[in-house]
Amino acid sequence: ATPRHYILDVDGAYMNTEVKLNDYILIKHPHGYTPMLVDLTDHIRAGEKNHLEITTRALHPSSRWYTGAGIYRDLFLWEGGDIRIEPWDKHITTPALDTVKAVYEISADRDAEITLRAAVLDGETEVTEVTSAEQTLTVTAGNKTKAEFTIHLPNAKLWDTENPHLYTLRATVLENGAELDTDETRFGVRTVTADMDNGLRINGKTIKLRGGCIHHDHGLLGAADYPAACRRKLTLLKKAGFNAVRIAHNPPSTVLMEICDEM
């Protein structure tokens, strides 16, 4: 069987988080709002029962607003092979309204010749005007290999605050035609500029920010980051005429940023 690789993805735990696997302390993370990736692979016991323990210590005084405590944001376990795209090793930008630039870093536990293929999807449908970008790469054990794609996307449906269209970029890692790993990342085609003459512009059009501050909690529901509560909060703000929010005073959850992209 192909060796497997495991990464624990903690989007937020308040606070002074400690992760132990089979009695090994793997990380101590003091900040309560920043995500963390914890590589579990070296301490996984294959074919046996494994004990994963996550503890938090919400010490006081710590803050002047309600923080919550414990694991209050999403928790994921990523499983991949010995050649893979890890969760934070991708970056997608749109430097022009018909151009997508994607950067990937491929992690490898062995030396190999691989192919990395990228394709753009609109919903479930692959965009036919785009020729799938493809690169052949040499990866080496214990290292990350960078691959960059510049993809031409003619007649793109643009993202803005009133028409937030999203595409998906699908990357596939292949070896001798066999699929090793896939990654799908949503993105919007938009340009953002700011200068003293035109102010903030999205896709070349000046836009005024109408917004306010929101905290990470959901009032009486507490700090647990329910996606439905995030969506309800942003829907009410949108109906009231807002097109922007300031996250006070710490990094928001991944799910809140994803819903902002959608809305």
Side-chain angles (χ1 to χ4, degrees):
T2 304
R4 308 308 288 162
H5 204 98
Y6 297 94
I7 293 174
L8 180 70
D9 182 349
V10 184
D11 201 48
Y14 200 88
M15 58 184 294
N16 297 304
T17 305
E18 184 177 279
V19 177
K20 291 171 68 174
L21 178 62
N22 299 324
D23 295 325
Y24 286 93
I25 298 175
L26 301 184
I27 195 171
K28 292 185 176 182
H29 187 79
H31 198 282
Y33 298 97
T34 50
M36 67 186 110
L37 298 179
V38 189
D39 198 318
L40 307 179
T41 307
D42 290 344
H43 298 289
I44 291 276
R45 297 170 184 164
E48 299 181 31
K49 187 175 182 179
N50 289 268
H51 182 73
L52 177 67
E53 182 179 317
I54 303 172
T55 57
T56 61
R57 294 168 65 236
L59 301 178
H60 292 281
S62 67
S63 179
R64 61 182 173 84
W65 61 87
Y66 176 66
T67 59
I71 302 169
Y72 68 98
R73 291 180 180 173
D74 281 330
L75 190 70
F76 299 104
L77 181 64
W78 294 90
E79 180 184 3
D82 54 5
I83 299 174
R84 63 202 170 272
I85 301 170
E86 295 189 358
W88 294 351
D89 288 348
K90 55 195 176 181
H91 186 64
I92 299 171
T93 55
T94 51
L97 296 180
D98 61 356
T99 305
V100 181
K101 185 174 182 182
V103 180
Y104 293 95
E105 291 193 337
I106 313 300
S107 297
D109 298 333
R110 60 182 172 87
D111 297 350
E113 292 284 329
I114 63 160
T115 299
L116 182 63
R117 182 180 297 156
V120 177
L121 285 75
D122 190 357
E124 297 296 316
T125 307
E126 188 167 330
V127 179
T128 54
E129 295 94 334
V130 174
T131 304
S132 295
E134 195 167 285
Q135 289 186 22
T136 301
L137 301 168
T138 301
V139 296
T140 55
N143 294 308
K144 294 187 178 185
T145 303
K146 182 181 287 189
E148 296 189 15
F149 291 104
T150 299
I151 300 170
H152 182 58
L153 186 61
N155 305 311
K157 301 171 188 173
L158 304 186
W159 185 102
D160 62 34
T161 58
E162 302 314 309
N163 299 286
H165 189 82
L166 293 175
Y167 290 95
T168 299
L169 192 62
R170 176 187 289 159
T172 307
V173 181
L174 301 153
E175 184 181 27
N176 299 322
E179 187 177 297
L180 300 182
D181 195 23
T182 59
D183 174 86
E184 291 192 353
T185 304
R186 293 190 307 171
F187 69 96
V189 177
R190 61 195 172 210
T191 58
V192 181
T193 59
D195 61 66
M196 60 191 296
D197 295 322
N198 300 289
L200 176 67
R201 289 191 290 180
I202 297 179
N203 304 332
K205 298 175 183 175
T206 298
I207 185 169
K208 301 296 184 185
L209 293 181
R210 303 183 304 276
C213 299
I214 59 171
H215 286 280
H216 78 103
D217 67 284
H218 297 293
L220 296 179
L221 295 181
D225 198 54
Y226 304 112
C230 288
R231 194 176 296 278
R232 176 183 178 274
K233 179 188 291 184
L234 293 171
T235 298
L236 290 171
L237 290 168
K238 189 94 172 177
K239 285 181 178 178
F242 286 59
N243 65 7
V245 289
R246 170 185 174 245
I247 306 300
H249 299 266
N250 290 283
S253 66
T254 299
V255 73
L256 185 125
M257 291 191 289
E258 288 174 345
I259 294 171
C260 283
D261 272 352
E262 290 177 19
M263 295 180 60

